Amino acid sequence: MAFYYDQPSHTFSEYLLVPGYSDSTHIPTSVSLKTPLVKYKAGEESAITLNIPMVSAIMQSVSDDRMAIALAKEGGISFIYGSQSVENQAKMVARVKNYKSGFVTSDSNLRPEHTLRDVLDLLAKTGHSTMAVTHDGSSNGKLLGIVTSRDYRISRMDLNTKVEEFMTPFDKLIVGHEGVNLSECNNLIWENKLNCLPIIDKDQNLCYLVFRKDYDSHKENPLELLDANKRYMVGAGINTRDYADRVPALVEAGVDVLCIDSSEGFSEWQSRTIAWIRERYGDSVKVGAGNVVDRDGFLFLAKAGADFIKVGIGGGSICITRETKGIGRGQATAVIEVAAARDEYFKETGIYIPICSDGGIVYDYHMTLALAMGSDFVMLGRYFSRFEESPTNKLQINGTYVKEYWGEGSNRARNWQRYDLGGANKLSFEEGVDSYVPFAGSLKDNVNITLYKIKSTMCNCGALSIPELQQKARLTLVSATSIVEGGAHDVIVKDKVNSNTHI
């Protein structure tokens, strides 16, 4: 006989947080939203810690390299979508890792015999106005000079003028030497009013470039998520089909963390994928798994070796898995049960495995509820798809700007691997829709507002960190009538622009 749960499953909208005591120290600016991304042992720290509890979903319409850079600047991480060729995904990862670093490998290089025409062609190709002149035109050749936009005037120079005639020669450059640290480089930049500081080795070969703008960027984004080499951190989605080809390419490109992208993770396919990664890379390659909605699913993936586990089936705004297949669970109930299993596992083994709430987020406050219920971070699709930095087109429909947004299970994405159960290489039926979402502007502005709301609510609960919120939170189920009561009612609303709109 089938098993029946004795209680219905609930969504985030059916819960509210009950305020706790807060004193004068509980102010939003004092709240830390740091949270572990991957598992760790008791008494140790996670190998990767997020500065904000937000990651972007593994979706074509959400997470590419541009989104990854924008989110890393704010302290979160993106998982670049895997429903593309291995080569293209690896290139996206590499672009994030090379986009900005305290020490940048020069990707715009010239030889002395190149001409002004070559300079302009290279500028059009890369968009970089600072170009190193090396003896062989390579990024690590002997440095002979630097060309910037201040070295030439197109209107007054022949396009055939050789670079060596107008470049700033080496003997007039201020340079740093291999081994210098970033702080010392920044001091040289500021003391000498430089925009760029070349770093050379003992033989005058170019090693790196350090840019003034990168220092300014870090000051503007104090929470940016960086690796040990001061590069932005980035994740990538993989599937349970071509991992033997995809994982090595992503690792070679510099990916920081992987995640198996699947609509349902309680399967042999995921344990096989994790086992393959562990066999070849040990614990050096971090990989999340999922999605699951109960204790059994969590324990299966925990024992399989997952570094974090995603929770949620059918709760996404563009997901129709529940409609087409009749499987899933209310997101709040799923998070509560999996969080309890996570805590139980930690108590028994001393290994803490972070969980990620994926789906079911309609309002900003739902993120706070997910964290209070035990999630270490949340994965967001629709939320990020609305921003300028998402990879989709911005359109105007009936006078309103929108962005395209489609599910990985839609016919447009054709990501059959995500829903594959060992069958043919095709999408048998759709589990996602193709849609539009209202355009919301820049990621930075919106994320800052959302984070302030989360911090403010945490202060109301008397918590200054996510673990403290999870310990002190008091949650209550609400009736359908009280949900109506919670919004504006019995009035004629003049302006809805500042109301708590859908995200």
Side-chain angles (χ1 to χ4, degrees):
M1 179 178 176
F3 174 81
Y4 291 87
Y5 289 90
D6 57 5
Q7 294 291 330
S9 63
H10 298 284
T11 66
F12 292 132
S13 287
E14 296 175 79
Y15 283 91
L16 287 174
L17 282 156
V18 177
Y21 173 73
S22 58
D23 59 32
S24 60
T25 66
H26 292 95
I27 56 176
T29 54
S30 297
V31 174
S32 169
L33 293 177
K34 286 181 178 292
T35 191
L37 178 66
V38 297
K39 69 182 178 185
Y40 60 92
K41 294 180 180 178
E44 298 180 356
E45 291 187 1
S46 175
I48 304 176
T49 298
L50 299 173
N51 291 325
I52 63 171
M54 302 168 75
V55 305
S56 67
I58 311 168
M59 300 174 68
Q60 292 176 7
S61 56
V62 178
S63 299
D64 64 352
D65 48 304
R66 187 182 179 204
M67 175 61 71
I69 291 166
L71 185 52
K73 286 181 178 179
E74 302 308 314
I77 198 168
S78 290
F79 286 86
I80 291 177
Y81 68 93
S83 51
Q84 59 178 317
S85 71
V86 172
E87 181 183 19
N88 286 344
Q89 189 184 23
K91 284 181 178 178
M92 284 189 181
V93 168
R95 284 199 290 270
V96 178
K97 300 307 293 185
N98 294 328
Y99 172 79
K100 181 262 181 191
S101 170
F103 297 92
V104 179
T105 300
S106 177
D107 64 356
S108 296
N109 306 290
L110 300 160
R111 295 191 305 275
E113 62 269 24
H114 275 131
T115 65
L116 178 57
R117 180 179 283 104
D118 296 318
V119 170
L120 299 178
D121 288 343
L122 189 57
L123 175 62
K125 180 181 178 182
T126 67
H128 298 155
S129 59
T130 299
M131 305 174 188
V133 183
T134 58
H135 78 288
D136 60 357
S138 73
S139 58
N140 297 114
K142 185 175 182 179
L143 182 63
L144 303 178
I146 292 286
V147 171
T148 71
S149 57
R150 293 180 297 181
D151 292 314
Y152 56 85
R153 292 283 295 275
I154 301 174
S155 60
R156 297 188 178 185
M157 294 172 60
D158 190 315
L159 292 181
N160 293 314
T161 306
K162 293 187 180 299
V163 165
E164 60 188 352
E165 296 179 31
F166 60 87
M167 70 181 185
T168 301
F170 180 80
D171 59 8
K172 291 186 178 180
L173 293 175
I174 294 172
V175 300
H177 296 274
E178 194 173 22
V180 66
N181 63 44
L182 190 58
S183 177
E184 292 168 335
C185 290
N186 286 326
N187 288 338
L188 283 171
I189 287 172
W190 283 96
E191 289 168 3
N192 296 281
K193 299 180 180 179
L194 305 175
N195 287 321
C196 173
L197 178 73
I199 307 300
I200 60 172
D201 65 15
K202 58 182 177 59
D203 297 317
Q204 200 177 311
N205 293 316
L206 179 62
C207 300
Y208 304 103
L209 300 174
V210 178
F211 290 93
R212 181 192 193 99
K213 64 180 178 62
D214 287 346
Y215 177 83
D216 293 338
S217 173
H218 181 65
K219 289 300 180 184
E220 293 171 7
N221 303 291
L223 294 178
E224 57 187 359
L225 193 64
L226 305 174
D227 65 17
N229 295 313
K230 305 296 184 183
R231 300 175 301 176
Y232 286 135
M233 300 191 80
V234 61
I238 61 172
N239 61 69
T240 58
R241 279 276 187 165
D242 66 5
Y243 53 83
D245 296 321
R246 193 171 294 271
V247 172
L250 294 172
V251 171
E252 177 68 23
V255 75
D256 295 286
V257 59
L258 303 171
C259 184
I260 302 172
D261 183 27
S262 174
S263 64
E264 206 282 293
F266 194 176
S267 74
E268 179 184 349
W269 307 108
Q270 295 222 357
S271 61
R272 283 187 187 182
T273 304
I274 296 170
W276 186 91
I277 292 172
R278 293 287 175 255
E279 189 178 309
R280 284 155 183 78
Y281 297 99
D283 292 328
S284 65
V285 172
K286 307 301 181 184
V287 56
N291 287 18
V292 298
V293 292
D294 62 3
R295 178 180 184 275
D296 292 341
F298 170 85
L299 292 176
F300 173 79
L301 291 177
K303 292 171 184 176
D307 286 296
F308 67 84
I309 294 172
K310 288 204 295 151
V311 182
I313 294 176
S317 60
I318 40 67
C319 183
I320 54 173
T321 294
R322 295 179 191 176
E323 292 180 23
T324 57
K325 295 171 68 174
I327 65 167
R329 200 176 195 190
Q331 188 68 7
T333 299
V335 168
I336 292 168
E337 181 172 322
V338 172
R342 184 267 319 281
D343 293 344
E344 176 187 327
Y345 186 83
F346 178 54
K347 196 172 291 184
E348 291 177 357
T349 66
I351 299 173
Y352 186 90
I353 303 177
I355 62 171
C356 167
S357 178
D358 177 19
I361 302 291
V362 181
Y363 300 101
D364 283 349
Y365 82 89
H366 287 173
M367 299 184 207
T368 317
L369 286 172
L371 297 171
M373 291 173 180
S375 295
D376 295 278
F377 54 97
V378 294
M379 178 171 277
L380 304 162
R382 180 171 56 121
Y383 177 87
F384 287 116
S385 72
R386 304 170 304 139
F387 301 150
E388 182 70 49
E389 295 83 356
S390 74
T392 63
N393 296 318
K394 183 172 75 170
L395 309 171
Q396 191 174 36
I397 297 180
N398 297 327
T400 300
Y401 282 106
V402 298
K403 294 273 281 186
E404 294 178 296
Y405 180 48
W406 60 91
E408 288 298 293
S410 67
N411 192 52
R412 181 171 184 174
R414 291 192 169 277
N415 186 8
W416 62 268
Q417 295 100 328
R418 189 177 199 273
Y419 303 87
D420 178 53
L421 294 175
N425 297 3
K426 65 179 181 179
L427 190 68
S428 301
F429 56 89
E430 291 185 276
E431 292 188 46
V433 300
D434 199 342
S435 65
Y436 300 113
V437 290
F439 175 65
S442 74
L443 179 145
K444 184 178 183 67
D445 292 343
N446 284 275
V447 165
N448 285 340
I449 292 171
T450 297
L451 294 178
Y452 195 86
K453 290 180 184 178
I454 293 172
K455 291 178 178 181
S456 181
T457 304
M458 289 172 63
C459 288
N460 293 144
C461 296
L464 294 176
S465 68
I466 293 173
E468 189 178 13
L469 173 67
Q470 293 168 348
Q471 182 183 24
K472 291 185 174 180
R474 296 183 299 160
L475 295 114
T476 180
L477 275 168
V478 294
S479 68
T481 305
S482 64
I483 292 174
V484 174
E485 178 188 61
H489 58 89
D490 301 314
V491 294
I492 299 173
V493 180
K494 290 192 292 184
D495 184 6
K496 294 185 178 182
V497 172
N498 295 318
S499 64
N500 188 16
T501 54
H502 285 64
I503 60 173

